Amino acid sequence: DVKVTQSSRYLVKRTGEKVFLECVQDMDHENMFWYRQDPGLGLRLIYFSYDVKMKEKGDIPEGYSVSREKKERFSLILESASTNQTSMYLCASSFAEQYFGPGTRLTVT
Amino acid sequence: GENVEQHPSTLSVQEGDSAVIKCTYSDSASNYFPWYKQELGKGPQLIIDIRSNVGEKKDQRIAVTLNKTAKHFSLHITETQPEDSAVYFCAATPLPGYKLSFGAGTTVTVRA
């Protein structure tokens, strides 16, 4: 069974903290993605990676960075969390169809 | 970049009736159009997709149509059931597996 797992379902952090969101897929997919989901805005692409050696900015990369040291793992990093980064974060991986994880609801206070 | 618009943002239908969600896109390079369903507390899941060389595709009670000339595509759900209540997203991309541009989503509620 296809699986994309995210390290936390709910996370509460303070402003200024460094935050790591982890994503692991077990399908040997090359492509991995991080999206942010906000009401009325749909899913917006933060960063993506088509290869372990490759990371590309999406539509809203400001305030985020990523790490992909292994094919199956793609991490999203909030260098200094701010309240406007309170959101649902979704990780996905794909060969053709994109498979999504369950999401991490991050609250920054 | 690609801009996908989706309407309506909310849709309430009586059980057994049909539901239609419409999307438009801006980039003529887009050739693959998936639709995702997101249930409460879960990540989006692909329910149907269509490629640019096909005008219509059907899977049981769900169908998708594509008009590449007009740059719009639609999702049709017939004989709606309570389990169809969810948020639906359309998306567009040049190639399957490539990064997706999503619409804002439609919250569908099926009334018993």
Side-chain angles (χ1 to χ4, degrees):
Chain A
D1 197 16
V2 164
K3 205 97 174 175
V4 178
T5 56
Q6 295 184 229
S7 51
S8 305
R9 293 300 304 271
Y10 299 94
L11 210 51
V12 179
K13 295 292 181 180
R14 293 199 181 276
T15 302
E17 278 193 81
K18 191 168 186 176
V19 182
F20 293 86
L21 303 182
E22 307 283 342
C23 175
V24 177
Q25 51 97 0
D26 66 358
M27 294 163 283
D28 201 35
H29 287 160
E30 296 284 350
N31 306 335
M32 295 190 75
F33 309 84
W34 275 106
Y35 294 91
R36 171 177 169 158
Q37 181 176 9
D38 299 288
L41 296 177
L43 280 72
R44 293 179 291 165
L45 183 64
I46 306 171
Y47 266 94
F48 61 100
S49 169
Y50 292 153
D51 183 273
V52 169
K53 300 181 184 66
M54 176 266 195
K55 295 172 283 187
E56 283 282 339
K57 293 179 181 179
D59 300 319
I60 51 164
E62 295 78 20
Y64 304 94
S65 63
V66 290
S67 170
R68 191 166 183 201
E69 297 180 1
K70 292 186 177 181
K71 188 177 186 179
E72 67 270 18
R73 188 179 297 268
F74 193 37
S75 302
L76 181 69
I77 303 158
L78 286 66
E79 297 291 343
S80 177
S82 63
T83 54
N84 62 14
Q85 292 178 310
T86 291
S87 187
M88 171 69 83
Y89 290 88
L90 289 161
C91 174
S93 74
S94 75
F95 173 68
E97 172 183 348
Q98 279 197 26
Y99 294 91
F100 284 84
T104 296
R105 183 162 295 282
L106 173 66
T107 302
V108 182
T109 61
Chain B
E2 176 64 275
N3 180 42
V4 178
E5 294 193 358
Q6 181 172 348
H7 299 280
S9 56
T10 61
L11 183 59
S12 180
V13 296
Q14 192 71 35
E15 183 176 356
D17 287 351
S18 295
V20 180
I21 303 170
K22 298 184 178 184
C23 290
T24 61
Y25 64 98
S26 61
D27 190 350
S28 56
S30 289
N31 285 304
Y32 175 66
F33 306 91
W35 285 88
Y36 284 83
K37 176 183 181 182
Q38 186 177 28
E39 296 175 334
L40 207 59
K42 297 184 178 180
Q45 186 171 12
L46 180 74
I47 55 171
I48 195 167
D49 56 15
I50 191 166
R51 298 179 191 229
S52 60
N53 58 347
V54 175
E56 185 173 352
K57 184 176 177 181
K58 193 172 179 181
D59 182 4
Q60 298 182 332
R61 297 186 296 107
I62 293 173
V64 58
T65 59
L66 170 65
N67 183 327
K68 249 195 104 63
T69 304
K71 294 196 183 76
H72 66 72
F73 56 114
S74 301
L75 178 72
H76 303 252
I77 307 173
T78 58
E79 300 171 23
T80 53
Q81 299 170 4
E83 55 263 37
D84 295 328
S85 294
V87 181
Y88 292 80
F89 293 97
C90 62
T93 181
L95 283 172
Y98 199 64
K99 59 179 181 173
L100 291 169
S101 296
F102 282 88
T106 298
T107 301
V108 174
T109 303
V110 179
R111 307 187 307 272

